[in-house]
Structures are given as C-alpha cells and as structure tokens.
Amino acid sequence: MKLYDSKTAPNPRRTRIFLAEKGISVPTEQVDMMKMEHKTPEYTALNPLQRMPALVLDDGTIITESIAICRYFEVLQPEPPLFGVGAKEIAMVEMWNRRAELNLLFSVANVFRHSHPAMKELEVPQVPDWAEANKPRIVDFLRMLDAELKNRAFVAGDRFSVADITTLCAIDFMRPIRMPVPEECIHVKRWHGEVSARPSAKA
Amino acid sequence: MKLYDSKTAPNPRRTRIFLAEKGISVPTEQVDMMKMEHKTPEYTALNPLQRMPALVLDDGTIITESIAICRYFEVLQPEPPLFGVGAKEIAMVEMWNRRAELNLLFSVANVFRHSHPAMKELEVPQVPDWAEANKPRIVDFLRMLDAELKNRAFVAGDRFSVADITTLCAIDFMRPIRMPVPEECIHVKRWHGEVSARPSAKA
C-alpha cells in the first residue's frame, strides 16, 4: 500500500498522528500542495476531488478522506482504540470528532482558505466576508470546549481518541491565520500542552 | 430514551431514514426550527450548539450529530449494516458519506443558509457571495457521482448505506434552493428514483 501525504496541511496530519498512535508505518509519498501537485493529472486520477491524503491498497482500491483512512486501520488493528469501544463511547467519539470538525477545524480552514494570500490561486473565489464570519465561531467553540475539559482529560472522554487528533490539528492550524487560543481557556491550554507532548504529535 | 427531531431539516431526516431502515422506533419530540425552538434555554441545555437532532439516553447521556446517533444504533443493532462490514467496506462507506457531506450536503446547506430569506435571522451574517460560491460545487459533485453510479447500484458500493441516506437528503434539500439535478446526470436520477421509492424515504 502507499499513503499520499502532504506535510503542511492539517488533514493529512490527522492521518499521520492516528498511525503514530497505532504504531503503524506505511510507505509514503509526499505531495506538495503549495506546488499544486495535488492538481496534477496523476493525482487527480487517484482523487478527482484533488484533496489530500489518499491511501492506495495493494488491490488498487483508493481510500480518500483522512477519517476514512483512519477507520480502515482501526478495523485492521483495533488497539489502542481511537474511535471508542461500545455503543455509547463510539457515539461520543463520533459526536466530539464532528463537533471539532464542523465548528473548529472547518472554521479555521475557511478563515485560511478565504483570507490567506497563499490560497489565492487554490481557493477560487476567495470570499473574505466568509473568512470573517468564521472567526467568532472558533472562539465560541473553544470556550464551550474549555468548560468540557475542566471536568475530563480528553475531548471525548477519559481516553485519547480521534477527537483529540482533530482538535489538536485544528488548534495548531490557527497559527497561519494568527488567531491564538483565548487567554481565559486555561483547560484547553492544559489539554493542548498534554497532547502536544505525546510523541505522535510530531508525526 | 427520547429523540429530539425536526421534520423540516435535512440532518434530522438522515437519522429518521436510518432508523426506518433498521426498523427501530424511538419516542420522539418535535422541535420547530422555524419557530426558533432549537434556540430556547431548554434545548440549548441539551445541545449548546443549538443543532438538531439530539438523542437523550435513559441514563441522561446526550448524543448530538445525526451520524453519531446513527452509529449508536448501528452498534446496538448491526443488521442491516449501514456503515459497511469489514475494513475496506467500512472505509468506502465513510469516504462516500464524507464526500457527499463535504461536497453536496454542506454546499446545499450553505446555499440555503446564506441566500434564503427564511434564514435571515438564523444565519447571522448571511454571506451571499458564499452562497454563490457553493453552487458550482453542487453541480461538479453530481457530475462526478453520475460517473460512479453508472457502474454500481449505490453511492458507496453494491449495498445501500448511510452514504445513500446523506446523498438523498442533500438532493431533496436542493428543492428549497431551486437547483435541479442536471439533466445529463441520468445515473443519479435512476438512483434517486430507486432510493426515493424505499419506504424509509418517507420517514
């Protein structure tokens, strides 16, 4: 199998951290998004949507979408569980992973894509008003998450999960849009320090 | 348990169709989003994000996000499987469900939220340029999906899955934004006729 990866983008990083937490290593090819390598005919043949990452299996099956690739490996190697175990925990991990995507990761990505000069040729048309509209959502969600993290270790419960991976990648992606975590979100900061110290965070 | 449902919105419909396909019936309370009932203090206590639907378990656990609720029931009652069976099918269902969300359902929702007069007080600020930017994405994705449905029965493969539910709810939500499925997408139209004829589509 081969993983098409891109070192600079938050979604491929989700898959890399997931694999590092599982202790799985996969042959990898780098695709430089800043050089538009994900728009070439070769990569478009793998993923017509021109998004990263993509996993090609030995039988030729192509899996795209970071979380779909993660789920593939969760079934192949269930330990340590990163999508939860049992109906209730599985539902809580799915809920918090989606909350972190819809309210945080996608909002940060929208600010980046619709306001950053580097995205001018990649996001057409850029809609600056949409970038602005997303900024308060980021702050609102981090405040909500802060109240949750006051009472538990990780985003979806007492165990590290894919919801922590999504939230970590989203918060670190706030650097290029120059938004800090609000000062008062001390529980988010505590959590961010802890998950950043895990070896997988360097993946 | 109790499901907080809203008859008019596409996300609660995903959960209703899922439950109908499983043959599961859950006590339900309607929340009228057009009357802002999802913004009341009572509902906000259930879901601070004020999104629908929400499932409250007998032990008080609250599960929000349509797909998280669906996953809860998939574990409790695996048959018929709607998230796939085995690593590869599970990954393909996740991939196509996410592709249908990110490129179709969320694009249709963005057009609706940012251009429909009924959403003026619910989506603040409305960004008309963002509504416009989403329209070509809908057409592009339906053309891509049409090429896929030429060669298989359902969105993610040979079996009906949650990816079909998401795609059906997205396409039917194109009615209030007055966008038809492009004439040339004959395979999408064939598929849409078939899934609309399933009893679950009326849920």
Side-chain angles (χ1 to χ4, degrees), chain A residues 47 49 59 61 64-65 68 71-72 87-88 91 94-95 98-99 101-103 114 123 130 137 144, chain B residues 47 49 59 61 64-65 68 71-72 87-88 91 94-95 98-99 101-103 114 123 130 137:
Chain A
N47 185 2
L49 295 168
D59 70 0
T61 303
T64 70
E65 300 299 330
R71 278 199 193 278
Y72 178 75
K88 210 158 76 174
E94 178 77 40
M95 175 178 93
R98 285 183 165 258
R99 283 179 161 183
E101 287 176 343
L102 293 167
N103 300 281
H114 290 278
E123 185 70 38
W130 179 235
R137 294 174 193 215
M144 173 186 163
Chain B
N47 186 2
L49 295 167
D59 70 0
T61 303
T64 70
E65 300 300 328
R71 277 198 194 280
Y72 178 76
K88 210 158 77 175
E94 178 76 41
M95 175 177 94
R98 285 184 165 258
R99 283 179 162 184
E101 287 176 343
L102 293 167
N103 300 281
H114 290 278
E123 185 70 38
W130 179 235
R137 294 173 192 215

Side-chain angles (χ1 to χ4, degrees), chain A residues 33-34 36 38-39 113 118-124:
Chain A
M33 297 177 80
M34 285 300 139
M36 301 269 215
H38 60 305
K39 305 263 184 186
R113 299 184 74 91
M119 292 302 290
K120 204 159 186 151
E121 285 170 54
L122 283 165
E123 185 70 38
V124 181

